[in-house]
Coordinates of all heavy atoms in Angstrom, one line a residue:
M1 N 5.3 -34.5 2.4 CA 4.6 -34.1 1.2 C 4.6 -32.6 1.1 O 4.2 -31.9 2.0 CB 3.2 -34.7 1.1 CG 2.5 -34.1 -0.1 SD 0.7 -34.6 -0.1 CE 0.8 -36.2 -0.6
E2 N 5.2 -32.1 0.0 CA 5.2 -30.6 -0.2 C 3.9 -30.1 -0.7 O 3.3 -30.7 -1.6 CB 6.3 -30.3 -1.2 CG 6.6 -28.8 -1.3 CD 7.8 -28.5 -2.2 OE1 8.8 -29.3 -2.1 OE2 7.7 -27.6 -3.0
E3 N 3.4 -29.0 -0.1 CA 2.2 -28.4 -0.4 C 2.4 -27.4 -1.5 O 3.4 -26.7 -1.5 CB 1.6 -27.8 0.9 CG 0.2 -27.4 0.8 CD -0.3 -26.9 2.1 OE1 0.1 -27.4 3.1 OE2 -1.2 -26.1 2.1
T4 N 1.4 -27.3 -2.4 CA 1.5 -26.3 -3.4 C 1.1 -24.9 -2.9 O 0.3 -24.9 -2.0 CB 0.7 -26.6 -4.7 OG1 -0.7 -26.7 -4.3 CG2 1.2 -27.9 -5.3
F5 N 1.6 -23.9 -3.4 CA 1.4 -22.5 -2.9 C 0.5 -21.8 -4.0 O 0.9 -21.7 -5.1 CB 2.7 -21.8 -2.7 CG 2.6 -20.6 -2.0 CD1 2.1 -20.5 -0.7 CD2 3.1 -19.4 -2.6 CE1 2.0 -19.3 0.0 CE2 3.0 -18.2 -1.9 CZ 2.4 -18.1 -0.6
D6 N -0.7 -21.4 -3.6 CA -1.6 -20.9 -4.6 C -1.5 -19.4 -4.9 O -2.1 -18.9 -5.8 CB -3.1 -21.1 -4.1 CG -3.4 -22.6 -4.0 OD1 -2.8 -23.4 -4.7 OD2 -4.3 -23.0 -3.2
I7 N -0.7 -18.7 -4.1 CA -0.5 -17.3 -4.3 C 0.7 -17.1 -5.2 O 1.8 -17.5 -4.9 CB -0.3 -16.5 -3.0 CG1 -1.6 -16.6 -2.1 CG2 0.0 -15.1 -3.2 CD1 -1.6 -16.0 -0.8
H8 N 0.5 -16.3 -6.3 CA 1.6 -15.9 -7.1 C 2.0 -14.5 -6.7 O 1.3 -13.6 -7.1 CB 1.2 -16.0 -8.6 CG 2.3 -15.8 -9.6 ND1 3.0 -14.6 -9.7 CD2 2.9 -16.7 -10.5 CE1 4.0 -14.8 -10.6 NE2 3.8 -16.0 -11.1
I9 N 3.0 -14.3 -5.9 CA 3.3 -13.1 -5.3 C 3.6 -12.0 -6.3 O 3.2 -10.8 -6.2 CB 4.4 -13.2 -4.3 CG1 4.4 -12.0 -3.3 CG2 5.8 -13.4 -4.9 CD1 3.2 -11.8 -2.5
G10 N 4.2 -12.3 -7.4 CA 4.5 -11.3 -8.5 C 3.2 -10.8 -9.1 O 3.1 -9.5 -9.3
H11 N 2.3 -11.6 -9.4 CA 1.0 -11.2 -9.9 C 0.3 -10.4 -8.9 O -0.4 -9.4 -9.2 CB 0.2 -12.4 -10.4 CG 0.7 -13.1 -11.5 ND1 0.1 -14.3 -12.0 CD2 1.8 -12.9 -12.4 CE1 0.8 -14.7 -13.0 NE2 1.8 -13.9 -13.3
T12 N 0.4 -10.7 -7.6 CA -0.3 -10.0 -6.6 C 0.3 -8.6 -6.4 O -0.5 -7.6 -6.3 CB -0.2 -10.8 -5.2 OG1 -0.7 -12.1 -5.4 CG2 -1.0 -10.1 -4.1
I13 N 1.6 -8.5 -6.5 CA 2.2 -7.1 -6.5 C 1.7 -6.3 -7.6 O 1.4 -5.1 -7.4 CB 3.8 -7.3 -6.5 CG1 4.3 -7.9 -5.2 CG2 4.4 -6.0 -6.8 CD1 5.7 -8.4 -5.2
K14 N 1.7 -6.9 -8.8 CA 1.2 -6.2 -10.0 C -0.2 -5.7 -9.8 O -0.6 -4.6 -10.1 CB 1.3 -7.0 -11.2 CG 0.9 -6.3 -12.5 CD 1.1 -7.2 -13.7 CE 0.7 -6.4 -15.0 NZ 0.9 -7.2 -16.2
Q15 N -1.1 -6.6 -9.2 CA -2.5 -6.2 -9.0 C -2.6 -5.0 -8.0 O -3.4 -4.1 -8.2 CB -3.3 -7.4 -8.4 CG -3.6 -8.5 -9.4 CD -4.2 -9.7 -8.7 OE1 -4.1 -9.9 -7.5 NE2 -4.8 -10.6 -9.5
V16 N -1.8 -5.0 -6.9 CA -1.8 -3.9 -6.0 C -1.4 -2.6 -6.7 O -1.9 -1.6 -6.5 CB -1.0 -4.3 -4.7 CG1 -0.8 -3.1 -3.8 CG2 -1.6 -5.4 -4.0
L17 N -0.3 -2.8 -7.5 CA 0.2 -1.6 -8.2 C -0.9 -1.0 -9.1 O -1.1 0.2 -9.1 CB 1.4 -2.0 -9.0 CG 2.3 -0.9 -9.5 CD1 3.0 -0.1 -8.4 CD2 3.3 -1.5 -10.5
V18 N -1.6 -1.8 -9.8 CA -2.7 -1.4 -10.7 C -3.8 -0.8 -9.9 O -4.3 0.3 -10.3 CB -3.2 -2.6 -11.6 CG1 -4.4 -2.2 -12.3 CG2 -2.1 -3.0 -12.6
Q19 N -4.2 -1.4 -8.8 CA -5.2 -0.9 -7.9 C -4.9 0.5 -7.4 O -5.8 1.4 -7.2 CB -5.5 -1.8 -6.7 CG -6.2 -3.1 -7.1 CD -6.2 -4.1 -5.9 OE1 -5.6 -3.8 -4.9 NE2 -6.9 -5.2 -6.2
Q20 N -3.6 0.7 -7.2 CA -3.1 2.1 -6.7 C -2.9 3.1 -7.8 O -2.5 4.2 -7.6 CB -1.9 1.9 -5.9 CG -2.1 1.2 -4.6 CD -0.8 1.1 -3.8 OE1 0.2 1.6 -4.1 NE2 -0.9 0.4 -2.6
R21 N -3.2 2.6 -9.1 CA -3.0 3.4 -10.3 C -1.6 4.0 -10.4 O -1.3 5.1 -10.7 CB -4.0 4.6 -10.3 CG -5.4 4.1 -10.4 CD -6.4 5.2 -10.6 NE -7.7 4.7 -10.8 CZ -8.7 4.9 -10.1 NH1 -8.6 5.7 -9.0 NH2 -9.9 4.4 -10.3
R22 N -0.6 3.0 -10.1 CA 0.8 3.4 -10.3 C 1.4 2.5 -11.4 O 0.9 1.4 -11.7 CB 1.5 3.1 -9.0 CG 1.0 4.0 -7.8 CD 1.8 3.8 -6.6 NE 1.3 4.5 -5.4 CZ 1.5 5.8 -5.1 NH1 2.3 6.5 -5.9 NH2 1.0 6.3 -4.0
S23 N 2.5 3.0 -11.9 CA 3.1 2.3 -13.0 C 4.3 1.5 -12.6 O 4.8 1.7 -11.5 CB 3.5 3.3 -14.1 OG 4.6 4.1 -13.6
A24 N 4.7 0.6 -13.5 CA 5.9 -0.2 -13.3 C 7.1 0.8 -13.2 O 8.1 0.5 -12.4 CB 6.1 -1.2 -14.4
A25 N 7.1 1.8 -14.0 CA 8.2 2.8 -14.0 C 8.3 3.5 -12.7 O 9.4 3.7 -12.1 CB 8.0 3.8 -15.1
W26 N 7.1 3.8 -12.1 CA 7.1 4.4 -10.7 C 7.7 3.5 -9.7 O 8.6 3.9 -8.9 CB 5.7 4.8 -10.4 CG 5.6 5.3 -9.0 CD1 5.8 6.6 -8.6 CD2 5.3 4.6 -7.8 NE1 5.6 6.7 -7.2 CE2 5.4 5.5 -6.7 CE3 5.1 3.3 -7.5 CZ2 5.2 5.1 -5.4 CZ3 4.9 2.9 -6.2 CH2 4.9 3.8 -5.1
L27 N 7.3 2.2 -9.7 CA 7.8 1.2 -8.8 C 9.3 1.1 -9.0 O 10.1 1.0 -8.0 CB 7.1 -0.1 -8.9 CG 7.6 -1.1 -7.9 CD1 7.4 -0.7 -6.4 CD2 6.7 -2.4 -8.1
A28 N 9.8 1.0 -10.2 CA 11.2 0.9 -10.5 C 12.0 2.1 -9.9 O 13.0 1.9 -9.3 CB 11.4 0.8 -12.0
N29 N 11.4 3.2 -10.1 CA 12.1 4.4 -9.5 C 12.2 4.3 -8.0 O 13.2 4.6 -7.4 CB 11.3 5.7 -9.9 CG 12.0 7.0 -9.5 OD1 13.1 7.2 -9.8 ND2 11.3 7.8 -8.7
E30 N 11.1 3.9 -7.4 CA 11.1 3.7 -5.9 C 12.0 2.6 -5.4 O 12.7 2.8 -4.3 CB 9.7 3.4 -5.4 CG 8.7 4.5 -5.6 CD 9.0 5.8 -4.8 OE1 9.2 5.7 -3.6 OE2 9.0 6.9 -5.4
L31 N 12.2 1.6 -6.2 CA 13.1 0.5 -5.9 C 14.6 0.7 -6.3 O 15.5 0.0 -6.0 CB 12.6 -0.8 -6.5 CG 11.4 -1.5 -6.0 CD1 11.0 -2.6 -6.8 CD2 11.7 -2.0 -4.5
H32 N 14.7 1.8 -7.0 CA 16.1 2.2 -7.6 C 16.6 1.1 -8.5 O 17.7 0.6 -8.4 CB 17.1 2.5 -6.5 CG 16.6 3.5 -5.5 ND1 16.5 4.9 -5.9 CD2 16.2 3.4 -4.3 CE1 16.0 5.6 -4.9 NE2 15.8 4.7 -3.9
C33 N 15.7 0.7 -9.4 CA 16.1 -0.3 -10.4 C 15.5 0.0 -11.8 O 14.8 1.0 -11.8 CB 15.7 -1.7 -10.0 SG 13.9 -2.0 -10.0
C34 N 15.7 -0.8 -12.8 CA 15.2 -0.4 -14.0 C 13.8 -1.1 -14.2 O 13.5 -2.1 -13.4 CB 16.1 -0.9 -15.2 SG 16.3 -2.7 -15.3
R35 N 13.0 -0.6 -15.0 CA 11.6 -1.0 -15.2 C 11.6 -2.5 -15.6 O 10.7 -3.3 -15.2 CB 10.9 -0.2 -16.3 CG 9.4 -0.4 -16.4 CD 8.8 0.5 -17.4 NE 9.4 0.3 -18.7 CZ 9.5 1.2 -19.6 NH1 9.1 2.5 -19.4 NH2 10.1 1.0 -20.8
T36 N 12.6 -3.0 -16.4 CA 12.7 -4.4 -16.8 C 12.7 -5.3 -15.5 O 12.0 -6.4 -15.5 CB 13.9 -4.6 -17.6 OG1 13.9 -3.7 -18.8 CG2 14.0 -6.1 -18.1
N37 N 13.4 -4.9 -14.5 CA 13.5 -5.7 -13.3 C 12.1 -5.8 -12.6 O 11.8 -6.8 -12.0 CB 14.5 -5.1 -12.3 CG 15.9 -5.4 -12.8 OD1 16.1 -6.2 -13.7 ND2 16.8 -4.7 -12.2
V38 N 11.3 -4.7 -12.7 CA 10.0 -4.7 -12.1 C 9.1 -5.8 -12.9 O 8.4 -6.5 -12.2 CB 9.3 -3.3 -12.1 CG1 7.9 -3.4 -11.7 CG2 10.1 -2.4 -11.1
Y39 N 9.2 -5.8 -14.2 CA 8.4 -6.7 -14.9 C 8.9 -8.2 -14.6 O 8.1 -9.1 -14.6 CB 8.6 -6.5 -16.4 CG 7.9 -5.2 -16.9 CD1 8.6 -4.2 -17.5 CD2 6.5 -5.1 -16.7 CE1 7.9 -3.0 -17.9 CE2 5.8 -3.9 -17.1 CZ 6.5 -2.9 -17.7 OH 5.9 -1.7 -18.1
L40 N 10.2 -8.3 -14.3 CA 10.6 -9.7 -13.9 C 10.0 -10.1 -12.5 O 9.7 -11.2 -12.3 CB 12.1 -9.7 -13.9 CG 12.9 -9.6 -15.2 CD1 14.4 -9.5 -15.0 CD2 12.5 -10.8 -16.1
I41 N 9.9 -9.1 -11.6 CA 9.3 -9.3 -10.3 C 7.9 -9.8 -10.5 O 7.4 -10.7 -9.9 CB 9.4 -8.0 -9.5 CG1 10.8 -7.8 -9.0 CG2 8.4 -8.2 -8.2 CD1 11.0 -6.4 -8.3
F42 N 7.2 -9.1 -11.4 CA 5.7 -9.5 -11.7 C 5.6 -11.0 -12.1 O 4.6 -11.6 -11.9 CB 5.1 -8.7 -12.8 CG 5.0 -7.2 -12.4 CD1 4.9 -6.3 -13.4 CD2 4.9 -6.8 -11.1 CE1 4.7 -4.9 -13.2 CE2 4.8 -5.4 -10.8 CZ 4.7 -4.5 -11.8
E43 N 6.6 -11.5 -12.7 CA 6.6 -12.9 -13.2 C 7.0 -14.0 -12.1 O 6.9 -15.2 -12.4 CB 7.5 -13.1 -14.4 CG 6.9 -12.3 -15.6 CD 5.5 -12.5 -16.0 OE1 5.1 -13.7 -16.0 OE2 4.7 -11.6 -16.1
K44 N 7.5 -13.5 -11.0 CA 8.0 -14.4 -10.0 C 6.9 -14.9 -9.1 O 6.1 -14.1 -8.6 CB 9.1 -13.7 -9.1 CG 10.4 -13.4 -9.8 CD 11.3 -12.8 -8.9 CE 12.6 -12.5 -9.5 NZ 13.5 -13.6 -9.5
K45 N 6.8 -16.3 -9.0 CA 5.9 -16.8 -8.1 C 6.3 -16.7 -6.6 O 5.6 -16.5 -5.7 CB 5.7 -18.3 -8.4 CG 4.6 -18.9 -7.5 CD 4.1 -20.3 -8.0 CE 3.0 -20.7 -7.1 NZ 2.4 -21.9 -7.6
Y46 N 7.7 -16.7 -6.4 CA 8.3 -16.5 -5.1 C 9.2 -15.3 -5.1 O 9.8 -15.0 -6.2 CB 9.1 -17.8 -4.7 CG 8.3 -19.1 -4.9 CD1 8.4 -19.9 -5.9 CD2 7.3 -19.4 -3.9 CE1 7.7 -21.1 -6.1 CE2 6.6 -20.5 -4.0 CZ 6.8 -21.4 -5.1 OH 6.0 -22.5 -5.3
I47 N 9.4 -14.7 -4.0 CA 10.3 -13.5 -3.9 C 11.0 -13.5 -2.6 O 10.5 -14.0 -1.6 CB 9.4 -12.2 -4.1 CG1 10.2 -11.0 -4.4 CG2 8.5 -12.1 -3.0 CD1 9.4 -9.8 -4.8
D48 N 12.2 -13.0 -2.7 CA 13.0 -12.8 -1.5 C 12.3 -11.9 -0.4 O 11.7 -10.9 -0.8 CB 14.4 -12.1 -1.9 CG 15.3 -11.9 -0.7 OD1 15.9 -12.8 -0.3 OD2 15.3 -10.7 -0.3
T49 N 12.4 -12.3 0.8 CA 11.6 -11.6 1.8 C 12.1 -10.1 2.0 O 11.3 -9.2 2.3 CB 11.7 -12.3 3.2 OG1 13.0 -12.5 3.6 CG2 10.9 -13.6 3.1
E50 N 13.4 -9.9 1.8 CA 13.9 -8.5 1.9 C 13.3 -7.6 0.8 O 12.8 -6.5 1.1 CB 15.4 -8.5 1.9 CG 16.0 -7.1 2.1 CD 17.5 -7.0 2.0 OE1 18.1 -8.1 2.2 OE2 18.0 -5.9 1.9
L51 N 13.2 -8.1 -0.4 CA 12.6 -7.4 -1.5 C 11.1 -7.2 -1.2 O 10.6 -6.1 -1.5 CB 12.9 -8.1 -2.8 CG 12.3 -7.4 -4.1 CD1 12.7 -6.0 -4.2 CD2 12.6 -8.3 -5.3
L52 N 10.4 -8.2 -0.8 CA 9.0 -8.1 -0.5 C 8.8 -7.1 0.6 O 7.8 -6.4 0.5 CB 8.5 -9.5 -0.1 CG 6.9 -9.5 0.1 CD1 6.2 -9.2 -1.2 CD2 6.5 -10.9 0.6
L53 N 9.6 -7.0 1.6 CA 9.5 -6.0 2.6 C 9.6 -4.6 2.0 O 8.9 -3.7 2.4 CB 10.5 -6.2 3.7 CG 10.5 -5.2 4.9 CD1 9.1 -5.2 5.6 CD2 11.6 -5.6 5.9
R54 N 10.6 -4.4 1.2 CA 10.8 -3.1 0.5 C 9.6 -2.7 -0.3 O 9.1 -1.6 -0.3 CB 12.1 -3.2 -0.4 CG 13.4 -3.2 0.4 CD 14.6 -3.3 -0.5 NE 14.6 -2.1 -1.4 CZ 15.2 -2.2 -2.6 NH1 15.8 -3.3 -3.1 NH2 15.2 -1.1 -3.4
I55 N 9.1 -3.7 -1.1 CA 7.9 -3.4 -1.9 C 6.7 -3.1 -1.0 O 5.9 -2.3 -1.3 CB 7.6 -4.6 -2.8 CG1 8.7 -4.7 -3.9 CG2 6.2 -4.5 -3.5 CD1 8.8 -5.9 -4.7
S56 N 6.5 -3.9 0.1 CA 5.4 -3.7 1.0 C 5.5 -2.2 1.6 O 4.4 -1.6 1.6 CB 5.5 -4.6 2.2 OG 5.2 -6.0 1.8
N57 N 6.7 -1.8 1.9 CA 6.8 -0.4 2.5 C 6.5 0.6 1.4 O 5.8 1.6 1.7 CB 8.2 -0.2 3.0 CG 8.4 -0.9 4.3 OD1 7.5 -1.1 5.1 ND2 9.6 -1.4 4.6
I58 N 7.0 0.4 0.2 CA 6.8 1.4 -0.9 C 5.3 1.5 -1.2 O 4.8 2.6 -1.4 CB 7.6 1.0 -2.1 CG1 9.1 1.2 -1.9 CG2 7.2 1.8 -3.4 CD1 10.0 0.5 -2.9
L59 N 4.6 0.4 -1.3 CA 3.2 0.3 -1.7 C 2.3 0.5 -0.5 O 1.1 0.6 -0.7 CB 2.9 -1.0 -2.5 CG 3.6 -1.2 -3.8 CD1 3.2 -2.5 -4.4 CD2 3.2 0.0 -4.8
E60 N 2.8 0.5 0.7 CA 2.1 0.6 1.9 C 1.0 -0.5 1.9 O -0.2 -0.2 2.2 CB 1.5 2.0 2.1 CG 2.6 3.1 2.3 CD 2.0 4.5 2.4 OE1 0.8 4.7 2.4 OE2 2.8 5.4 2.6
Y61 N 1.5 -1.7 1.6 CA 0.6 -2.9 1.6 C 1.3 -4.0 2.2 O 2.4 -4.3 1.8 CB 0.2 -3.2 0.1 CG -0.8 -4.3 -0.1 CD1 -2.1 -4.0 -0.2 CD2 -0.4 -5.6 -0.1 CE1 -3.1 -5.0 -0.3 CE2 -1.3 -6.6 -0.2 CZ -2.7 -6.3 -0.3 OH -3.6 -7.3 -0.5
N62 N 0.6 -4.7 3.2 CA 1.3 -5.7 3.9 C 1.1 -7.1 3.2 O 0.1 -7.8 3.4 CB 0.7 -5.8 5.3 CG 1.5 -6.7 6.2 OD1 2.3 -7.6 5.7 ND2 1.4 -6.6 7.5
F63 N 2.0 -7.4 2.3 CA 2.0 -8.7 1.6 C 2.2 -9.8 2.6 O 1.7 -11.0 2.3 CB 3.0 -8.7 0.5 CG 2.7 -7.8 -0.7 CD1 3.3 -6.5 -0.7 CD2 1.8 -8.1 -1.6 CE1 3.0 -5.7 -1.7 CE2 1.5 -7.2 -2.7 CZ 2.1 -6.0 -2.7
F64 N 2.9 -9.6 3.6 CA 3.2 -10.6 4.6 C 1.8 -11.0 5.3 O 1.6 -12.2 5.6 CB 4.2 -10.2 5.6 CG 5.5 -10.0 5.0 CD1 6.0 -8.8 4.6 CD2 6.4 -11.1 4.8 CE1 7.2 -8.7 4.1 CE2 7.6 -11.0 4.2 CZ 8.1 -9.7 3.9
A65 N 1.0 -10.1 5.6 CA -0.3 -10.4 6.2 C -1.2 -11.2 5.2 O -1.9 -12.1 5.6 CB -1.1 -9.1 6.5
L66 N -1.1 -10.9 3.9 CA -1.8 -11.7 2.9 C -1.3 -13.1 2.9 O -2.2 -14.0 2.9 CB -1.5 -11.1 1.5 CG -2.1 -11.8 0.3 CD1 -3.6 -11.6 0.3 CD2 -1.4 -11.3 -0.9
L67 N 0.0 -13.3 3.0 CA 0.5 -14.7 3.1 C 0.1 -15.4 4.3 O -0.3 -16.6 4.3 CB 2.0 -14.7 2.9 CG 2.6 -14.1 1.6 CD1 4.1 -13.9 1.6 CD2 2.1 -15.0 0.4
S68 N 0.1 -14.7 5.5 CA -0.3 -15.2 6.7 C -1.7 -15.6 6.7 O -2.1 -16.7 7.2 CB 0.0 -14.2 7.8 OG -0.4 -14.7 9.1
D69 N -2.6 -14.8 6.2 CA -4.0 -15.1 6.1 C -4.2 -16.4 5.2 O -5.1 -17.2 5.5 CB -4.8 -13.9 5.5 CG -4.9 -12.8 6.4 OD1 -4.6 -12.9 7.6 OD2 -5.3 -11.7 5.9
Y70 N -3.5 -16.4 4.2 CA -3.5 -17.6 3.3 C -3.2 -18.9 4.0 O -4.0 -19.9 4.0 CB -2.6 -17.5 2.1 CG -2.4 -18.7 1.3 CD1 -3.4 -19.1 0.3 CD2 -1.3 -19.6 1.5 CE1 -3.2 -20.2 -0.4 CE2 -1.2 -20.7 0.7 CZ -2.1 -21.1 -0.2 OH -2.0 -22.2 -0.9
F71 N -2.1 -18.9 4.8 CA -1.8 -20.1 5.6 C -2.8 -20.4 6.7 O -3.0 -21.6 6.9 CB -0.4 -19.9 6.1 CG 0.7 -20.1 5.1 CD1 1.5 -19.0 4.7 CD2 0.9 -21.3 4.4 CE1 2.5 -19.2 3.8 CE2 1.9 -21.5 3.5 CZ 2.7 -20.4 3.1
E72 N -3.3 -19.4 7.3 CA -4.4 -19.6 8.3 C -5.6 -20.3 7.7 O -6.2 -21.2 8.3 CB -4.8 -18.3 9.0 CG -3.7 -17.8 9.9 CD -3.4 -18.7 11.1 OE1 -4.4 -19.3 11.6 OE2 -2.3 -18.9 11.4
Q73 N -6.0 -19.9 6.5 CA -7.1 -20.5 5.8 C -6.8 -21.9 5.4 O -7.7 -22.8 5.5 CB -7.5 -19.6 4.6 CG -8.1 -18.3 4.9 CD -9.4 -18.4 5.7 OE1 -10.2 -19.2 5.4 NE2 -9.5 -17.5 6.7
K74 N -5.6 -22.2 5.0 CA -5.2 -23.6 4.6 C -5.2 -24.5 5.8 O -5.4 -25.7 5.7 CB -3.8 -23.6 4.0 CG -3.7 -22.9 2.6 CD -4.5 -23.6 1.6 CE -3.6 -24.6 1.0 NZ -4.2 -25.3 -0.2
R75 N -5.0 -24.0 7.0 CA -4.9 -24.8 8.2 C -6.3 -25.2 8.7 O -6.5 -26.1 9.5 CB -4.2 -24.0 9.4 CG -2.7 -23.9 9.1 CD -2.0 -23.1 10.2 NE -2.2 -23.8 11.4 CZ -2.0 -23.2 12.6 NH1 -1.8 -21.9 12.7 NH2 -2.1 -23.9 13.7
K76 N -7.3 -24.4 8.3 CA -8.7 -24.7 8.7 C -9.4 -25.9 8.0 O -9.0 -26.3 7.0 CB -9.6 -23.4 8.6 CG -9.2 -22.4 9.5 CD -10.0 -21.2 9.4 CE -9.6 -20.1 10.3 NZ -10.3 -18.9 10.2

């Protein structure tokens, strides 16, 4: 049975960006992509781990720890 995943990683990335008072344009510049692509990332429930690692480094936020904590809580 497949388990549903309650974390929407794109929305979470957007929340962290807002908390840091940074813009989508800033993130796009850091990722070397256009702002439209950043908005597409915000809409993704799932994301490639390489891209998530890049975003984690740029925002200095460990999204992998967030996911790990989520899975630990689900196991309890």
Side-chain angles (χ1 to χ4, degrees):
M1 173 188 281
E2 189 172 320
E3 196 172 327
T4 60
F5 191 60
D6 296 332
I7 295 176
H8 189 295
I9 197 66
H11 292 173
T12 306
I13 291 167
K14 183 178 181 180
Q15 288 174 342
V16 171
L17 193 67
V18 168
Q19 288 170 355
Q20 294 184 3
R21 296 188 173 118
R22 299 188 186 272
S23 68
W26 176 85
L27 183 56
N29 185 57
E30 295 295 310
L31 287 171
H32 306 289
C33 70
C34 65
R35 191 176 59 209
T36 304
N37 287 347
V38 170
Y39 290 120
L40 292 173
I41 290 170
F42 293 159
E43 296 306 314
K44 291 181 179 272
K45 185 168 184 171
Y46 308 103
I47 192 170
D48 177 79
T49 54
E50 184 177 343
L51 178 57
L52 187 59
L53 179 59
R54 288 178 60 208
I55 293 170
S56 291
N57 286 330
I58 291 166
L59 295 178
E60 297 180 355
Y61 186 93
N62 190 343
F63 291 98
F64 294 95
L66 175 73
L67 298 172
S68 179
D69 291 346
Y70 169 82
F71 284 115
E72 286 300 316
Q73 291 299 316
K74 292 291 272 186
R75 292 179 60 202
K76 292 180 182 179

